[in-house]
């Protein structure tokens, strides 16, 4: 008996059932599509710079954007940021990120409390000793007053030390103590769940609560979120904190969140990349979109498949064409989305030689197989699995782009 999994059998596990939370016009959880979010790295007190970055993130595809609210000047700038965004035609939900003095900033700046679409608080630093419950309660009551949801976001780097110490002491007395890392994971889970329970006691409904428990190690993140999903039905925000720079951050975030998403865990995600100095902040949005799209959860932009190259492809022609086609698609997408609803599902292949070129091109909506080293200087084009043309010569790139546009017009153009 052939026990291999067929393409029709493969797929993610059913989504973990969570309570839906509305953040502005965006729904998180409750079976809604997994939402991409991001965070600015501007000084929020600089309203103009922050509004520009929020707009850039939103236009790149971030469906929720978080901003730091760390002092009076930042809180005072939030309404101005909202106003500037509205003038720019950007209506993305704004989340205020509060630590240590969130209760005071929200009380002293009611316009900020009203302008934000959600508050994010960290149970590890919302208050200490006897002030913890009082200050936590103040934030939850403000959220209730303005009808705002709250993300309760525990973080490995600022974990509630009283809770951790209690669990460590309890573990030390156990007949079979667990290792310290397992206890710390449990503290993360309990920090989030106990805080959510307290928020509900104050009056915040589950439909206004999102949980997160961010750590910087892949296996820790997977273990903690599995427990959160097992023990609760709160909407869950996924993200690997301090993921790192470049390929390290991308790989780590994709590995951790990919496993959880495949298991049906997670309602909204952020890829926390450390940008290069002066680098493009929107890269984290692109990576999050590509993660969801390559796993089959969402469709954002047409995919371009291209072979990696080998000794059969010593010419750089296919690499140049793949890059040119990808850039052409991204530049065209704002207009295409308006004119051709559904074009995000387009699948293009640009292949480099005869080994896999024709086969991969046939699997794409439209694909081209360029000649490898020593092959005839011709490039067959396949549309919907059938050979449609053979291109050659200096106009090959332009001719193929024209065929892509013609295909889009025929398939998604207004009838």
């Amino acid at each position: 008996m052939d026990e291999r999994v067929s393409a029709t059998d493969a797929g993610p596990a059913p989504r973990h059932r969570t309570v839906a939370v509305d953040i502005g016009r965006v729904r998180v959880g409750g079976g809604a599509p997994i939402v991409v979010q991001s965070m600015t790295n501007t000084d929020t007190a600089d309203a103009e710079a922050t509004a520009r970055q929020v707009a850039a993130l939103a236009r790149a595809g971030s469906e929720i954007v978080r901003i730091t609210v760390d002092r009076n000047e930042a809180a005072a700038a939030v309404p101005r940021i909202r106003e500037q965004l509205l003038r720019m035609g950007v209506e993305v939900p704004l989340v205020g990120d509060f630590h240590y003095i969130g209760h005071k900033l929200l009380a002293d700046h009611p316009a900020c409390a009203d302008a934000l679409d959600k508050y994010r608080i960290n149970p590890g630093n919302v208050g200490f000793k006897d002030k913890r419950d009082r200050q936590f309660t103040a934030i939850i009551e403000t959220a209730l007053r303005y009808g705002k949801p709250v993300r309760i976001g525990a973080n490995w780097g600022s974990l509630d030390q009283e809770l951790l110490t209690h669990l460590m002491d309890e573990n030390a007395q156990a007949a079979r103590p667990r290792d310290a890392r397992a206890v710390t994971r449990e503290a993360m889970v309990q920090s989030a769940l106990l805080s959510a329970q307290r928020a509900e006691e104050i009056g915040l409904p589950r439909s206004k609560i999102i949980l997160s428990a961010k750590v910087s190690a892949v296996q820790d993140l997977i273990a903690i979120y599995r427990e959160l999903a097992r023990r609760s039905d709160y909407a869950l925000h996924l993200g690997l904190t301090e993921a790192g720079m470049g390929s390290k951050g991308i790989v780590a975030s994709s590995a951790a969140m990919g496993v959880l998403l495949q298991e049906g865990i997670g309602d909204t995600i952020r890829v926390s990349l450390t940008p290069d100095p002066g680098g493009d902040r929107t890269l984290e949005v692109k990576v999050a979109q590509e993660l969801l799209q390559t796993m089959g959860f969402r469709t954002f932009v047409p995919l371009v498949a291209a072979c990696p190259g080998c000794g059969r492809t010593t010419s750089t022609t296919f690499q140049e064409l793949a890059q040119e086609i990808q850039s052409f698609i991204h530049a065209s997408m704002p207009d295409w989305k308006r004119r051709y609803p559904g074009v995000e599902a387009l699948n293009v292949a640009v292949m480099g030689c005869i080994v896999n070129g024709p086969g991969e091109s046939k699997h794409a909506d439209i694909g081209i197989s360029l000649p490898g080293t020593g092959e005839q200087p011709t490039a067959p084009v396949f549309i919907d699995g059938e050979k449609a043309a053979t291109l050659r010569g200096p106009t090959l790139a332009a001719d193929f782009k024209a065929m892509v546009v013609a295909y889009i017009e025929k398939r998604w153009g207004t009838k």
Side-chain angles (χ1 to χ4, degrees):
M1 178 179 175
D2 189 349
E3 296 182 351
R4 291 175 298 177
V5 177
S6 71
T8 54
D9 293 330
R15 292 278 297 283
H16 172 62
R17 283 184 82 83
T18 57
V19 176
V21 180
D22 291 324
I23 305 169
R25 298 182 179 183
V26 175
R27 172 158 289 187
V28 172
I34 299 164
V35 173
V36 171
Q37 60 180 281
S38 59
M39 185 175 184
T40 60
N41 61 355
T42 55
D43 180 356
T44 306
D46 186 341
E48 185 175 340
T50 302
R52 284 199 306 269
Q53 191 174 79
V54 170
L57 290 164
R59 288 167 180 158
S62 185
E63 294 156 306
I64 298 172
V65 178
R66 183 157 46 113
I67 60 177
T68 297
V69 187
D70 58 345
R71 63 194 195 280
N72 285 311
E73 293 81 0
V78 170
R80 300 201 306 274
I81 293 168
R82 170 66 74 196
E83 291 168 4
Q84 289 193 40
L85 289 169
L86 291 175
R87 286 197 296 270
M88 298 162 74
V90 177
E91 298 184 16
V92 66
L94 281 181
V95 178
D97 194 63
F98 294 98
H99 296 276
Y100 304 107
I101 59 170
H103 62 290
K104 187 174 188 306
L105 293 174
L106 287 167
D108 293 348
H109 298 273
C112 167
D114 187 42
L116 293 168
D117 294 286
K118 184 180 77 171
Y119 312 150
R120 187 268 178 165
I121 58 176
N122 184 337
N125 60 34
V126 74
F128 303 99
K129 303 290 184 182
D130 59 321
K131 295 181 180 178
R132 177 183 292 112
D133 188 63
R134 185 168 68 251
Q135 293 175 182
F136 181 85
T137 299
I139 294 174
I140 299 304
E141 288 178 342
T142 301
L144 285 166
R145 187 177 311 121
Y146 291 98
K148 308 296 183 180
V150 176
R151 169 152 75 93
I152 296 172
N155 193 294
W156 192 269
S158 50
L159 183 56
D160 182 340
Q161 292 302 300
E162 285 188 38
L163 174 62
L164 179 60
T165 299
H166 168 73
L167 291 177
M168 287 290 188
D169 291 343
E170 190 177 73
N171 182 66
Q173 303 302 316
R176 300 179 66 180
R178 295 181 293 172
D179 64 57
R181 198 169 197 92
V183 177
T184 306
R185 288 173 174 174
E186 176 62 19
M188 286 285 289
V189 173
Q190 287 198 26
S191 179
L193 291 178
L194 291 171
S195 297
Q197 179 182 326
R198 179 62 185 136
E200 287 196 67
E201 291 171 356
I202 296 165
L204 194 67
R206 289 194 168 213
S207 60
K208 295 287 186 182
I209 298 173
I210 294 176
L211 296 187
S212 67
K214 290 192 170 183
V215 298
S216 56
V218 170
Q219 296 299 334
D220 290 326
L221 192 84
I222 293 169
I224 288 168
Y225 273 93
R226 281 174 174 164
E227 278 301 295
L228 285 174
R230 187 179 69 83
R231 299 189 204 179
S232 77
D233 62 356
Y234 294 108
L236 297 177
H237 167 77
L238 299 187
L240 192 74
T241 194
E242 289 95 37
M245 298 183 73
S247 60
K248 187 270 180 184
I250 293 171
V251 170
S253 292
S254 300
M257 290 192 284
V259 169
L260 291 166
L261 291 169
Q262 186 70 12
E263 294 180 3
I265 299 170
D267 302 292
T268 175
I269 69 170
R270 181 196 172 200
V271 176
S272 301
L273 295 180
T274 303
D276 293 330
D280 185 359
R281 188 67 168 180
T282 64
L283 176 61
E284 67 178 49
V285 179
K286 181 181 178 184
V287 173
Q289 288 182 326
E290 289 179 349
L291 173 61
L292 292 177
Q293 184 156 343
T294 54
M295 292 190 71
F297 292 109
R298 297 280 304 272
T299 302
F300 298 99
V301 295
L303 290 176
V304 178
C307 68
C310 66
R312 300 177 65 91
T313 57
T314 54
S315 167
T316 60
T317 303
F318 84 96
Q319 297 162 291
E320 293 160 2
L321 181 59
Q323 184 178 55
E324 188 173 342
I325 293 299
Q326 185 133 315
S327 298
F328 171 65
I329 286 173
H330 280 280
S332 303
M333 276 307 292
D335 179 55
W336 285 356
K337 281 186 177 181
R338 179 177 55 82
R339 295 173 57 194
Y340 308 116
V343 71
E344 296 91 346
L346 176 68
N347 190 347
V348 180
V350 180
M351 306 306 294
C353 79
I354 199 170
V355 173
N356 292 314
E360 290 287 350
S361 297
K362 288 177 183 178
H363 288 304
D365 294 320
I366 179 168
I368 186 169
S369 179
L370 293 164
T373 304
E375 295 175 13
Q376 291 295 317
T378 60
V381 176
F382 297 84
I383 295 178
D384 293 330
E386 302 292 334
K387 185 175 178 181
T390 299
L391 303 180
R392 54 173 61 83
T395 63
L396 185 148
D399 293 342
F400 184 63
K401 282 194 287 186
M403 292 185 73
V404 170
V405 172
Y407 180 85
I408 291 170
E409 176 65 41
K410 180 179 179 182
R411 181 170 171 181
W412 288 286
T414 304
K415 305 299 182 186

